[in-house]
Amino acid sequence: MMNQLNFSGGPGVLPAAVLAQTQQALAAVPEVGLSVLGISHRSDWFAEVIAETERNFQTLLNLPPSHAVLFLQGGASLQFSMIPMLLLRQRQQTADYLCTGYWSSKAIPPAQLEGDVRIIWNGQPSGFHHLPTPAELTFNPEAAYLHYVSNETVEGLQFHDVLGLDSVIRVCDMSSDMLSRPIDVERFDLIYAHAQKNLGPAGVTVVIIRRSLLEHAPNNLPEMLDYRAHLAAHSIYNTPPVFAIYVTLLVTRWLLNEIGGLAQMDALNQHKAAVLYRVIDESAGFYCGWATVAAQRSLMNVTFTLPNAELNTEFLRQATARGLSGLTGHRSLGGIRASIYNAMTIEAVMALSNFMREFARR
Ligand SMILES: *Cc1c(COP(=O)(O)O)cnc(C)c1O
């Protein structure tokens, strides 16, 4: 089972060059002479790891000084609580939430514990096969904030435009597409992404927050759940996930030095997705895309079904035998999901597309 190509939805594929550097760092980080698993988070070396990772996010995303970069724990799921604790607790306002798939619907109950939530669009009755069109959305100009998920990882649906009103705080879960394409960060007040889909290994969550949001934080937050504590401590409030942050640093270096930035990454990602969607579109209905609107298809997670459960099982069996791993759809949906995050190579995508064509023909 060596050298399987990794189409896993998460934790996902990492660049081969980063894995090689990680392997070396497990033995000894070259500039320190100690294993990355045994270096103090209070060392000068780690302070510089945090500083460089922060700088790399600033460079890649063209971050303005108004925004801070934090490295937190608890996954994207803890952000589902930390965000309403900061922005909704003790407020008279309601928060606008979009319910467009598995992950955005998970974000809603924790917010309801903190205040009033208005679901401004709900895709559940139609089975999460498409996203709203701009005409279907009426945003509340008095809302405490708007929350949405830019890429629904499970269903394979992605917004390709920024949603909401610029006058209302805009919060976005970018767990599965952060650093996959350029974004206009100035228009967002808080974006977050755990690392394990597109940024690095599990254990660290990147939060980019407009500093001014912290001026009106409620005074009854536990320190660990207060962004101000993490900002003041430069993301070393308590013991951080040193390993996960270090590997995330290596990934940002790879994006800067090997790929050349997010515009280049976006072009590669568009190309990879186009290859797979073309196979689906040319299969005369053998492969049925989950997303019903082509313009809303995800560039990160390509989801589709086969004509019946037996063929689905046979597809997965033969794919695995060919070294194509991680294609099983999310347990809530079934079907097939090919996750083609930043580190997925075009060669691997070609191997999958060749297999798909051949399987359909046979
Ligand atoms: C996977 C995922 C999550 C959940 O992340 P955890 O780190 O497991 O809490 C949240 N949002 C999106 C968009 C995801 O893809």
Side-chain angles (χ1 to χ4, degrees):
M1 294 296 271
M2 284 295 282
N3 302 322
Q4 293 263 322
L5 301 173
N6 188 359
F7 293 91
S8 163
V13 62
L14 289 171
V18 167
L19 291 179
Q21 290 168 309
T22 303
Q23 191 172 22
Q24 189 187 12
L26 283 177
V29 173
E31 63 271 27
V32 184
L34 294 170
S35 166
V36 65
L37 298 181
I39 304 179
S40 168
H41 59 290
R42 303 287 174 198
S43 61
D44 292 345
W45 172 78
F46 188 65
E48 183 47 33
V49 166
I50 291 272
E52 186 189 344
T53 314
E54 225 175 276
R55 281 198 304 276
N56 289 354
F57 271 90
Q58 283 161 348
T59 307
L60 285 163
L61 288 167
N62 200 13
L63 284 189
S66 52
H67 288 61
V69 183
L70 299 175
F71 304 103
L72 306 182
Q73 300 182 64
S77 298
L78 186 58
Q79 294 307 304
F80 296 165
S81 292
M82 279 178 76
I83 289 161
M85 286 170 118
L86 173 70
L87 298 172
L88 198 55
R89 183 175 282 194
Q90 295 170 3
R91 305 289 166 98
Q92 298 312 311
Q93 298 156 290
T94 64
D96 274 357
Y97 272 71
L98 260 77
C99 183
T100 51
Y102 182 88
W103 285 115
S104 56
S105 62
K106 289 265 189 202
I108 293 168
Q112 287 167 329
L113 293 176
E114 297 295 333
D116 289 329
V117 169
R118 191 174 70 111
I119 297 170
I120 62 169
W121 190 84
N122 190 354
Q124 189 149 38
S126 51
F128 294 136
H129 282 281
H130 61 91
L131 299 170
T133 59
E136 289 175 273
L137 295 173
T138 315
F139 300 101
N140 173 8
E142 306 297 331
Y145 62 95
L146 165 73
H147 180 277
Y148 70 99
V149 173
S150 54
N151 182 64
E152 288 284 5
T153 321
V154 171
E155 292 80 5
L157 301 170
Q158 191 175 25
F159 286 107
H160 299 292
D161 295 302
V162 176
L163 296 189
L165 308 171
D166 284 341
S167 58
V168 171
I169 292 173
R170 183 182 277 119
V171 179
C172 191
D173 176 356
M174 298 193 184
S175 287
S176 49
D177 64 359
M178 172 96 88
L179 300 191
S180 70
R181 56 183 177 181
I183 49 168
D184 185 357
V185 178
E186 194 76 66
R187 297 187 64 196
F188 292 89
D189 298 282
L190 195 162
I191 58 186
Y192 61 102
H194 57 199
Q196 72 267 24
K197 282 167 189 144
N198 210 28
L199 304 177
V204 62
T205 301
V206 178
V207 172
I208 296 171
I209 186 169
R210 191 185 296 278
R211 296 169 196 274
S212 60
L213 289 194
L214 301 175
E215 286 163 13
H216 309 288
N219 50 19
N220 59 354
L221 297 175
E223 278 215 59
M224 257 308 272
L225 302 180
D226 189 336
Y227 296 103
R228 292 174 300 184
H230 296 283
L231 182 64
H234 255 261
S235 299
I236 316 182
Y237 172 77
N238 66 332
T239 314
V242 171
F243 174 76
I245 294 172
Y246 179 69
V247 179
T248 302
L249 167 62
L250 298 178
V251 170
T252 59
R253 281 185 190 158
W254 172 81
L255 277 167
L256 283 166
N257 304 328
E258 305 301 319
I259 301 297
L262 298 191
Q264 287 82 346
M265 194 68 253
D266 187 31
L268 290 168
N269 285 332
Q270 304 234 19
H271 178 53
K272 289 182 290 180
V275 167
L276 294 183
Y277 286 121
R278 188 159 167 209
V279 178
I280 292 173
D281 291 341
E282 291 179 355
S283 73
F286 182 76
Y287 297 115
C288 180
W290 180 266
T292 50
V293 180
Q296 298 172 348
R297 286 164 157 178
S298 169
L299 301 182
M300 296 281 102
N301 311 96
V302 177
T303 46
F304 57 92
T305 55
L306 282 87
N308 60 52
E310 289 69 39
L311 281 168
N312 202 77
T313 305
E314 189 54 21
F315 179 95
L316 289 169
R317 195 188 64 76
Q318 292 190 22
T320 307
R322 286 272 201 114
L324 304 166
S325 159
L327 289 163
T328 308
H330 189 268
R331 61 187 191 280
S332 66
L333 238 72
I336 308 292
R337 172 174 58 172
S339 296
I340 49 173
Y341 299 123
N342 284 351
M344 174 58 62
T345 62
I346 183 68
E347 290 77 18
V349 168
M350 292 310 301
L352 174 60
S353 81
N354 290 338
F355 168 70
M356 285 173 69
R357 284 189 197 278
E358 196 189 302
F359 187 85
R361 199 166 53 239
R362 275 193 281 118

